[in-house]
Amino acid sequence: YQLLRCPALLLPLVFLGLGLAVLPQPGIEDDEVLFAAPILHLPDAANFSVYVFHKQFPLMLLSYLGALKSWVYFPIFASAPPSALTVRLPVLVIGSLTVLIFVWLLERTGGGIVAWFGGLLLATDTMFLFTTCFDWGPVALQHFLAMAGIALLWKFVTAGSRWALWGGFFSFGLALWDKALFVWLFSGLIVATIAIFPRELWSRCSARNIGVAAAGLCLGALPDRK
């Protein structure tokens, strides 16, 4: 009964269950496992790498695609052999966390009914489900980092925490490193904020806040040098 009263717990489980049902169906697609090439130490797997203590660390797989997903999967593949399950289950969990953050944010900004309807639409959206589960974009980390950034900025607005401000823009920076095409989503968020919340935005545009936000964004996107 308590679970039914909490959409932020139930709806991510709905999304996870739907994903588990479709996870083993299609075969692996090339873009879906592009991140694995540096993990398997294939020649020329990374477009840009650095060496630390004689060990290679990939930073960019392509000119617009960072190695964040490769970093996430290094410990996963070290503990379990590559397979459809080990490739797809982690991004499905990441997608479930995206649903959780989305529903949590709706619940606190719009109330329980809004959270239920909005969360149900996202958790059962077939495009979101398939692009997350098979992640041929890749988009799973982008969506998660975008929602995490928005939630942290809401925390900054409501509680005044500059750590939340820094964390929000750090999340956006990581999303830019993950895939530079995130700039389209990020620019859309900026335009929407200017159009809908101009007074709130202007009231918080102090030099210190701008510096904190810029520091978080630049640090998150630092490996993206192309």
Side-chain angles (χ1 to χ4, degrees):
Y1 177 72
Q2 291 296 327
L3 186 63
L4 292 175
R5 295 182 58 186
C6 189
L9 292 178
L10 183 61
L11 293 176
L13 293 177
V14 170
F15 178 81
L16 183 64
L18 292 173
L20 290 174
V22 301
L23 184 151
Q25 301 305 320
I28 298 292
E29 196 268 341
D30 287 350
D31 286 347
E32 190 180 356
V33 289
L34 182 63
F35 73 91
I39 303 175
L40 302 176
H41 305 291
L42 299 181
D44 302 320
N47 187 272
F48 181 65
S49 302
V50 294
Y51 286 86
V52 180
F53 299 115
H54 305 291
K55 291 187 177 182
Q56 184 181 20
F57 290 88
L59 294 182
M60 299 297 296
L61 305 186
L62 300 172
S63 60
Y64 60 90
L65 182 66
L68 178 60
K69 189 174 179 181
S70 299
W71 287 26
V72 171
Y73 274 79
F74 266 115
I76 295 172
F77 282 0
S79 58
S83 66
L85 181 64
T86 53
V87 167
R88 290 171 174 166
L89 184 58
V91 287
L92 184 59
V93 172
I94 291 171
S96 300
L97 293 175
T98 303
V99 174
L100 186 152
I101 296 172
F102 179 72
V103 175
W104 176 86
L105 191 59
L106 286 182
E107 195 169 14
R108 277 151 182 77
T109 56
I113 295 178
V114 173
W116 270 112
F117 278 96
L120 189 62
L121 286 173
L122 181 63
T124 59
D125 182 270
T126 53
M127 184 65 71
F128 179 68
L129 175 66
F130 280 97
T131 54
T132 299
C133 187
F134 307 125
D135 203 28
W136 56 70
V139 295
L141 284 170
Q142 283 188 70
H143 291 158
F144 170 73
L145 291 169
M147 284 308 309
I150 293 170
L152 285 166
L153 291 185
W154 178 83
K155 182 70 174 177
F156 163 68
V157 170
T158 56
S161 170
R162 284 197 172 91
W163 280 110
L165 174 64
W166 182 89
F169 277 89
F170 180 74
S171 296
F172 294 146
L174 284 179
L176 287 169
W177 172 34
D178 177 55
K179 195 170 186 181
L181 295 181
F182 177 75
V183 70
W184 295 107
L185 178 56
F186 188 45
S187 60
L189 292 173
I190 293 172
V191 171
T193 303
I194 294 173
I196 300 173
F197 304 109
R199 292 183 180 179
E200 293 84 349
L201 177 64
W202 180 252
S203 67
R204 291 172 174 83
C205 280
S206 66
R208 187 172 182 180
N209 286 343
I210 293 174
V212 169
L217 183 69
C218 291
L219 184 60
L222 183 63
D224 187 355
R225 299 187 179 184
K226 290 292 182 177

